[in-house]
């Protein structure tokens, strides 16, 4: 399948397995100037194929289950946070100060959903929490000046750039030189031995224990997908960092959630690590190094582990230490400029960099598990939102899209068939089903999300 091929190749997959993938195309889904629908389909298709491949190995068959990628299911899942309802209530998404702002010479976009980021933004600008005061402060400064001063105070603001300006930027050049999915082998740990899995449904990740040290969307989407496929996922959060309730509800399916302070509960973490198969991190590169959580350190203490790392800007270049979110990466890389209107910069129809990167990261973990059964070795998988953005900008044929294309989208497919409703500890939830589908595989999560941090920090 041509759409899935680049992602599957980046994952080191067997190209002959691409014949197992079929697509249900829905032209109106995720309409944008850039090929968002094709990117979303490729990320989900590669993840589903990786799951099917591992399922076949664990079921003891050479026949890899057929994979179906439905654009409607993919589009619904890529905006899962918008479809979520908690007792009928719509979720809170972006906070009032998370938006585009005019500067003296252009535009910036800020991210201030979390209280600590909002406080740092206001401190950098020297203004109270008043949109008019914030707008006035931005209007007096250049976009790049705002970007640097806000980041210097630990806040998040990114100047609008064109694709050409990003390509000429030192960070843009560093990202462009990296593979879409970075795969590495850390040691010569012995080959992984799998037990067989039940066939109804096929759960390729059954028995795999995943430590989930991720936040926001991309990392939690990856671990949510592994939970769908049968993994025992334990999300760990610092009690010092708040979480947004609706965000947790959307990405918490299939998981348990505990709070653990790595500064004071190291023995508890090491006990969890000793029995873990996979560690997934979503903090900015280097943020966890002081806790000896580099891939090499983790593999030394837990030989055979798969370490999956998600970052905004990549673990290289001058921005490697910077925090970032999907909306900010769209602005820096030129996506917002290409999707702009006459009035202001634009955005993709979904946080596609987050969701797409999440499925790529989950696919990398699944492929690493498959390769471990053949070759052994602790593994590392890295995905960066900025590199996913670069892949989107390349377009289906390697060229930038025509920004004069203003065609109206076809009618959107009704999402009801890709939604489900269930009761939970959080209330009655309406939510998007996973688009990762293969013959004999699961259709829904066994577990609804519970309260954030409400579970004990131990394995079942």
């Amino acid at each position: 399948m041509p759409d899935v091929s680049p992602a599957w190749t980046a994952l080191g997959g067997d190209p002959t397995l691409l014949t197992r993938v079929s697509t249900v195309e829905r032209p109106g889904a995720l309409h944008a100037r850039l090929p968002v629908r094709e990117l979303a389909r490729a990320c989900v298709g590669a993840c589903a194929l990786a799951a099917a491949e591992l399922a076949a190995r664990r079921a003891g068959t050479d026949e890899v289950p057929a994979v179906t990628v439905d654009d409607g299911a993919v589009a619904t899942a890529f905006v899962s946070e918008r479809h979520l309802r908690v007792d009928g209530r719509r979720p809170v998404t972006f906070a009032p100060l998370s938006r585009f702002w005019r500067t003296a010479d252009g535009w910036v976009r800020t991210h201030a959903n979390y209280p600590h980021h909002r406080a740092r933004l206001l401190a950098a600008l020297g203004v109270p929490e008043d949109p008019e005061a914030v707008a006035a402060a931005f209007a007096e400064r250049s976009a790049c000046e705002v970007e640097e001063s806000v980041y210097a105070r630990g806040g998040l603001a990114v100047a609008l750039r064109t694709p050409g300006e990003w390509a000429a930027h030192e960070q843009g050049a560093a990202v462009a030189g990296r593979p879409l999915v970075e795969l590495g082998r850390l040691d010569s740990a012995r080959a992984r031995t799998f037990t067989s899995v039940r066939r109804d449904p096929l759960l390729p990740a059954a028995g795999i224990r995943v430590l989930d040290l991720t936040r926001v969307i991309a990392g939690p989407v990856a671990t949510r997908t592994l939970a769908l496929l049968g993994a025992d996922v334990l999300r760990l959060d610092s009690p010092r960092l708040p979480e947004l309730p609706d965000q947790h509800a959307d990405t918490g399916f299939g998981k348990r959630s505990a709070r653990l302070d790595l500064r004071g509960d190291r023995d508890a973490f090491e006990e969890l690590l000793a029995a873990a198969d996979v560690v997934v991190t979503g903090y900015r590169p280097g943020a966890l190094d002081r806790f000896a959580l580099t891939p090499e350190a983790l593999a030394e203490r837990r030989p055979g582990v798969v370490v999956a790392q998600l970052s905004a800007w990549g673990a290289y270049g001058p921005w490697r230490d910077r925090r970032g979110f999907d909306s900010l990466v769209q602005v820096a890389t030129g996506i917002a400029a290409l999707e702009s209107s006459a009035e202001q910069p634009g955005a993709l129809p979904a946080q596609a960099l987050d969701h797409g990167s999440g499925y790529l990261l989950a696919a990398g973990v699944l492929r690493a598990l498959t390769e471990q059964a053949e070759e052994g070795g602790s593994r590392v998988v890295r995905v960066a939102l900025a590199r996913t953005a670069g892949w989107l900008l390349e377009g289906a044929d390697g060229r930038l899209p025509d920004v004069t294309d203003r065609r109206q989208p076809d009618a959107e497919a009704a999402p009801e068939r890709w939604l489900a409703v269930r009761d939970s500890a959080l209330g009655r939830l309406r939510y998007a089903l996973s688009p990762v589908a293969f013959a004999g595989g699961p259709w829904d999560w066994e577990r609804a999300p519970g309260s954030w941090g409400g579970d004990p920090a131990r394995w079942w």
Side-chain angles (χ1 to χ4, degrees), residues 72-106:
V74 172
T76 302
F78 265 58
V79 290
S80 61
E81 62 275 12
R82 298 182 207 166
H83 290 296
L84 178 71
R85 299 290 183 273
V86 182
D87 288 332
R89 177 183 59 80
R90 292 177 178 271
V92 176
T93 52
F94 286 98
L97 297 186
S98 296
R99 47 167 277 200
F100 285 107
W101 304 87
R102 279 194 180 275
T103 65
D105 63 349

Side-chain angles (χ1 to χ4, degrees), residues 109-121:
R109 181 154 188 168
T110 55
H111 195 288
N113 287 359
Y114 288 102
H116 55 295
H117 291 155
R118 181 170 62 252
R120 293 167 185 172
L121 171 66

Side-chain angles (χ1 to χ4, degrees), residues 9 11 23 25 48 76 93 96 102-103 106 112 119 138 161 173 181 208 211 228 236-237 276 334 353 369 391 456:
T9 299
L11 291 162
T23 302
E25 296 191 23
T76 302
T93 52
R102 279 194 180 275
T103 65
F138 280 131
R161 292 174 171 83
V181 181
I208 298 297
L211 277 180
L228 172 82
L236 298 178
D237 282 283
L353 308 181
L369 292 170
W391 183 36

Side-chain angles (χ1 to χ4, degrees), residues 28-38 339 347-349 401 405 407 409:
L30 296 175
H31 180 81
R33 291 173 176 173
L34 289 161
V36 180
R37 177 169 59 105
E38 290 78 6
E339 295 289 344
L348 298 177
D405 179 7
R407 293 173 295 174

